[in-house]
């Protein structure tokens, strides 16, 4: 058995990545369990692997005593001295066991335990391999598409891209290569489950980090992202270098830095927003492309944006999208009010001596879906 056993261990490590000591431990446990079942004892049994010969040997331990009550566990001092004149009462002596017909029983029990151990170890290896992709973007291949989900092969595991994690405008076909964001990796009794998404805000953050060096090295920080995947996103950015313009860095000349991201996300439009420590100014910036007359912070902590009548629908957005994304990206509750309907006496505001807090003047909005022109190609036609 020796050479075959050692060769098997080497093959397991090479093909499955399972270290020999893991399998050896499983076999030792299996043989011990088999011995206990067949002979009703295991408390004094030890299985030892001979690395040179490639054999597993079973040993029982007996204590040297004056009077023997259980010959399976004890040996008399007289018999012990015949083995070695230096033994004393209380010493432990190991005896190799070679019970008749035990080899077949042990092998059967060991096979079952070994297979289970190998499955567990392989699951752990796969989990460790994919857990490092958590919060990162990984590429996979579409294997199957049905009404419930898109099945993506990621190499050693398959993952489901559910409806809520798909960009609505996208169509998936078998064989397509797709980039997905790994939201979580979980080890279950049935194996490793990888949870993926194309709608997670952090997918957009990772894409910016990959495409824009200043974001990757921290010169420009992405403070917050809100997305309606495939339609519009709002991204708040701040420059940590006074010589670096945050918005210009993100967009690039004529949108050159951001075009690839827009194409990858099915034409998702981007509002890049300048960060401000002043909450009112930040909210006014986040409500672009609408022009905001003033933002007032109410006593309950919510925000009231006052706009001209002709800017009201733009501030709210189609189906409330603009104000909803602005509220999400600034982590604020925002109400919109037309200036001709606004009565300051209807509200209580936060400020020194109860004075109304107004936003400072706002620059013209930066709206990438208007500023960036993406040339039509076979990939984005239509």
């Amino acid at each position: 058995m020796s050479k075959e056993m050692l060769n098997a261990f080497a093959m397991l490590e090479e093909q499955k990545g399972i270290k020999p000591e893991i399998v050896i431990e499983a076999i030792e446990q299996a043989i011990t369990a088999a011995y206990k079942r067949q002979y009703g004892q295991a408390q004094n049994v030890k299985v030892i692997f001979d690395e040179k010969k490639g054999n597993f040997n079973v040993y029982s331990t007996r204590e040297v005593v004056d009077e023997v009550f259980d010959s399976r566990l004890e040996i008399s001092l007289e018999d012990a001295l015949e083995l070695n004149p230096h033994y004393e009462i209380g010493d432990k002596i190991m005896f190799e066991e070679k019970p008749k017909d035990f080899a077949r029983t042990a092998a059967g029990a060991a096979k079952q335990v070994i297979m289970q151990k190998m499955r567990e170890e392989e699951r752990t290896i796969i989990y460790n391999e994919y857990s490092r992709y958590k919060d990162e973007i990984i590429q996979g291949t579409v294997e199957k598409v049905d009404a419930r989900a898109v099945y993506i092969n990621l190499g050693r595991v398959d993952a489901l891209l559910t409806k809520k994690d798909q960009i609505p405008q996208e169509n998936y076909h078998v064989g397509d290569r797709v980039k997905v964001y790994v939201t979580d990796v979980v080890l279950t009794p049935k194996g490793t489950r990888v949870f993926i998404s194309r709608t997670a805000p952090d997918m957009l953050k990772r894409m910016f980090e990959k495409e824009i060096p200043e974001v990757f090295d921290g010169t420009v920080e992405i403070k917050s992202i809100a997305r309606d995947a495939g339609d519009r996103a709002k991204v708040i950015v701040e420059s940590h270098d006074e010589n670096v313009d945050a918005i210009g860095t993100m967009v690039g000349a004529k949108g050159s830095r951001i075009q690839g991201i827009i194409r990858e996300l099915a034409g998702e439009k981007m509002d890049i927003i300048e960060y401000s420590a002043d909450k009112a100014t930040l909210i006014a910036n986040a409500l672009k492309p609408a022009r905001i007359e003033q933002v007032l912070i109410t006593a309950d902590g919510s925000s009231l944006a006052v706009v001209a009548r002709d800017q009201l629908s733009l501030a709210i957005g189609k189906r409330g999208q603009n104000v909803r994304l602005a509220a999400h990206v600034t982590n604020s509750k925002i109400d919109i009010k037309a200036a001709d309907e606004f009565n300051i006496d209807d509200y209580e505001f936060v400020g020194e001596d109860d004075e109304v807090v107004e936003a400072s003047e706002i620059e013209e909005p930066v709206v990438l879906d208007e500023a960036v022109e993406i040339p039509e190609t076979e990939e984005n036609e239509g």
Side-chain angles (χ1 to χ4, degrees):
M1 170 172 82
S2 56
K3 288 185 178 179
E4 291 81 357
M5 183 70 70
L6 294 172
N7 290 337
F9 291 162
M11 188 179 299
L12 282 171
E13 184 171 25
E14 181 180 348
Q15 296 182 358
K16 299 289 187 179
I18 301 175
K19 295 186 179 300
E21 53 264 31
I22 298 295
V23 184
I24 291 170
E25 182 184 359
I27 295 175
E28 289 174 346
Q29 292 172 357
I31 294 175
T32 301
Y35 193 90
K36 180 178 181 180
R37 282 195 300 271
Q38 186 161 341
Y39 297 99
Q41 66 182 85
Q43 65 271 29
N44 67 327
V45 171
K46 187 176 183 65
V47 178
I48 298 177
F49 177 66
D50 187 333
E51 294 183 5
K52 293 183 178 179
K53 296 182 178 179
N55 292 325
F56 289 89
N57 300 315
V58 181
Y59 296 90
S60 64
T61 303
R62 302 178 195 175
E63 183 178 355
V64 179
V65 295
D66 276 327
E67 186 176 356
V68 175
F69 292 97
D70 189 337
S71 60
R72 297 174 303 176
L73 306 176
E74 300 166 335
I75 183 173
S76 69
L77 177 59
E78 182 182 351
D79 291 339
L81 291 174
E82 290 182 4
L83 300 174
N84 190 318
H86 298 291
Y87 281 130
E88 299 177 351
I89 299 295
D91 286 346
K92 302 288 196 301
I93 304 177
M94 292 183 64
F95 295 88
E96 184 174 358
E97 300 287 339
K98 295 183 178 179
K100 186 179 179 181
D101 299 328
F102 177 65
R104 183 177 296 180
T105 303
K111 183 178 179 181
Q112 184 177 357
V113 176
I114 292 167
M115 294 304 295
Q116 177 64 24
K117 193 74 173 180
M118 288 172 57
R119 285 191 293 268
E120 291 174 359
E121 188 64 19
E122 189 168 11
R123 284 199 295 265
T124 301
I125 290 169
I126 293 174
Y127 170 76
N128 290 337
E129 177 181 340
Y130 282 89
S131 60
R132 63 192 176 96
Y133 292 113
K134 187 177 183 298
D135 300 326
E136 299 292 343
I137 293 175
I138 187 173
Q139 186 165 265
T141 304
V142 176
E143 283 201 334
K144 178 183 174 184
V145 180
D146 62 26
R148 186 171 68 94
V150 178
Y151 297 76
I152 308 289
N153 179 266
L154 300 176
R156 300 182 70 178
V157 298
D158 292 331
L160 296 183
L161 188 65
T162 61
K163 285 292 184 184
K164 70 181 180 63
D165 291 304
Q166 298 173 24
I167 294 177
Q169 297 91 326
E170 290 184 330
N171 294 313
Y172 303 92
H173 305 91
V174 173
D176 286 352
R177 299 286 287 171
V178 181
K179 291 179 181 177
V180 294
Y181 178 78
V182 178
T183 59
D184 203 2
V185 181
V186 178
L187 181 60
T188 75
K190 293 185 178 180
T192 298
R193 289 195 64 188
V194 179
F195 295 86
I196 58 175
S197 175
R198 281 183 58 80
T199 61
D202 280 342
M203 179 174 184
L204 182 55
K205 183 177 181 180
R206 287 288 181 265
M207 295 179 77
F208 277 122
E209 289 173 347
K210 181 179 179 182
E211 297 296 328
I212 302 174
E214 292 86 349
V215 174
F216 181 79
D217 67 21
T219 303
V220 174
E221 179 186 357
I222 295 177
K223 305 288 285 187
S224 180
I225 296 175
R227 291 180 68 191
D228 271 353
D231 190 358
R232 181 178 292 274
K234 288 184 180 286
V235 184
I236 296 176
V237 295
E238 179 184 20
S239 174
H240 294 296
D241 185 335
E242 61 182 13
N243 297 317
V244 176
D245 173 58
I247 293 177
T249 298
M250 297 289 286
V251 178
K254 297 183 179 180
S256 59
R257 284 188 156 192
I258 208 169
Q259 288 186 59
I261 295 175
I262 291 174
R263 283 195 295 268
E264 173 64 34
L265 298 177
E268 188 171 317
K269 302 174 183 66
M270 308 276 171
D271 294 341
I272 308 299
I273 302 159
E274 184 80 37
Y275 172 75
S276 173
D278 178 70
K279 184 177 180 181
T281 302
L282 179 63
I283 289 171
N285 289 343
L287 284 168
K288 295 174 181 179
R291 295 179 179 84
I292 309 302
E293 293 189 0
Q294 58 182 183
V295 174
L296 310 170
I297 310 301
T298 64
D300 65 0
S302 61
S303 306
L304 178 66
V306 181
V307 300
R309 171 64 61 178
D310 63 356
Q311 294 291 302
L312 184 61
S313 61
L314 190 59
I316 294 172
K318 192 175 182 180
R319 296 185 300 275
Q321 182 189 66
N322 194 58
V323 67
R324 174 167 44 80
L325 289 177
H328 190 182
V329 80
T330 61
N331 193 29
S332 304
K333 179 181 178 182
I334 303 175
D335 293 324
I336 308 291
K337 199 76 173 178
D340 56 7
E341 294 181 350
F342 172 62
N343 184 354
I344 196 170
D345 294 329
D346 294 337
Y347 302 89
E348 293 182 359
F349 300 103
V350 174
E352 293 182 1
D353 301 323
D354 294 328
E355 291 182 0
V356 172
V357 178
E358 297 185 5
S360 56
E361 292 296 322
I362 319 163
E363 299 176 357
E364 287 296 309
V366 176
V367 188
L368 295 185
D369 51 306
E370 296 177 0
V372 177
E373 293 184 4
I374 304 174
E376 285 192 359
T377 66
E378 293 182 1
E379 292 181 356
N380 61 28
E381 222 168 32

